[in-house]
């Protein structure tokens, strides 16, 4: 249950990354992954056990954001059903 926040926040970041310019997309994704991974570690209280939980939460946010970006691009790329072009008969 503690991993729900990093996964959902990563998916959200990934879907928002489609709005960011491609030149800065990687930088924004890395910064967001570090910030949200650290936030997830603090919110869950895992930091009291050890900060090594950052090594789990940050990559979890990053992987989830990559999946969210791929899903958003796939949905956006579809655009609706593709119908065959009408053929004109003369």
């Amino acid at each position: 249950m503690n991993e729900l926040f990093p996964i959902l926040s990563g998916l959200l970041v990934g879907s928002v990354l489609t709005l960011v310019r491609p030149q800065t997309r990687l930088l924004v994704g890395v910064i967001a992954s570090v910030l949200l991974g650290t936030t997830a570690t603090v919110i869950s209280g895992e930091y009291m056990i050890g900060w090594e939980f950052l090594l789990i939460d940050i990559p979890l946010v990053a992987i989830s954001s990559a999946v969210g970006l791929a899903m958003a691009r796939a949905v956006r790329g579809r655009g609706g059903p593709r119908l065959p072009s009408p053929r004109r008969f003369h």
Side-chain angles (χ1 to χ4, degrees):
M1 191 66 173
N2 288 337
E3 305 309 324
L4 192 60
F5 178 77
I7 292 172
L8 291 178
S9 63
L11 291 173
L12 181 65
V13 166
S15 64
V16 171
L17 282 178
T18 59
L19 305 174
V20 177
R21 290 186 311 170
Q23 296 85 0
T24 59
R25 193 173 288 162
L26 180 63
L27 179 64
V28 170
V30 168
I31 290 171
S33 295
V34 170
L35 291 175
L36 290 170
T38 304
T39 303
T41 301
V42 171
I43 286 175
S44 66
E46 294 171 335
Y47 75 97
M48 290 189 261
I49 299 169
W51 285 101
E52 59 271 4
F53 284 100
L54 285 174
L55 299 175
I56 296 170
D57 289 334
I58 291 173
L60 188 59
V61 173
I63 291 169
S64 298
S65 66
V67 170
L69 177 63
M71 288 172 46
R73 290 173 102 184
V75 167
R76 186 175 140 201
R78 289 185 190 177
R82 298 189 188 254
L83 301 174
S85 62
R87 298 193 178 174
R88 297 178 188 215
F89 297 102
H90 296 290

